[in-house]
Amino acid sequence: QVQLVESGGGLVQAGGSLRLSCAASGRTFSSYTMGWFRQAPGKEREFVAAISRSGGNTDYADSVKGRFTVSRDNAKNTVYLQMNSLKVEDTAVYFCAARSDIMIITTPRRYDYWGQGTQVTVSS
């Protein structure tokens, strides 16, 4: 089992940047594929980015490609989401999630563990 705690959210102006972190408990962090998802008010939770166990493979939603970068540090049990050129439509609660499988999956229900989320608000 793994526990996830996100941090780094906040209020930023459009065009600005934020870096989210997700710290994981446990000694087997490197065995989990990690994902970032977001949920805006009144909308379903949607895939943002994911990274493989080793960090060698990544995937992004089309809406964030070229602006967001997912990375991980297995020695620190932490996954990051660097968000640049933020837009008002990026406003949402951002969640990190872990799945104990090698495949990068974009479907939220295929993830086993979730953090509590961190709010990102982008103002115009």
Side-chain angles (χ1 to χ4, degrees):
Q1 190 169 356
V2 61
Q3 293 183 326
L4 305 172
V5 179
E6 302 96 336
S7 61
L11 174 64
V12 64
Q13 286 190 330
S17 299
L18 282 175
R19 188 175 83 154
L20 305 184
S21 299
C22 173
S25 65
R27 297 175 292 177
T28 59
F29 176 71
S30 60
S31 67
Y32 292 95
T33 296
M34 300 299 296
W36 284 98
F37 294 81
R38 67 187 181 186
Q39 188 166 18
K43 295 188 176 180
E44 293 186 353
R45 192 166 298 188
E46 65 174 2
F47 171 75
V48 175
I51 188 166
S52 62
R53 294 170 170 177
S54 67
N57 292 308
T58 58
D59 193 16
Y60 297 92
D62 288 343
S63 59
V64 307
K65 279 182 181 176
R67 300 189 297 122
F68 290 12
T69 302
V70 60
S71 61
R72 67 189 295 164
D73 185 338
N74 285 342
K76 296 183 178 180
N77 283 11
T78 303
V79 61
Y80 305 97
L81 185 67
Q82 178 66 45
M83 306 186 295
N84 299 329
S85 302
L86 281 162
K87 303 177 181 180
V88 172
E89 51 264 42
D90 293 320
T91 295
V93 178
Y94 283 70
F95 300 87
C96 71
R99 64 187 307 269
S100 52
D101 191 86
I102 195 171
M103 293 291 292
I104 289 181
I105 299 292
T106 63
T107 307
R109 61 180 175 83
R110 300 288 296 274
Y111 283 75
D112 304 306
Y113 305 102
W114 291 83
Q116 83 289 349
T118 185
Q119 176 72 46
V120 171
T121 303
V122 184
S123 64
S124 59

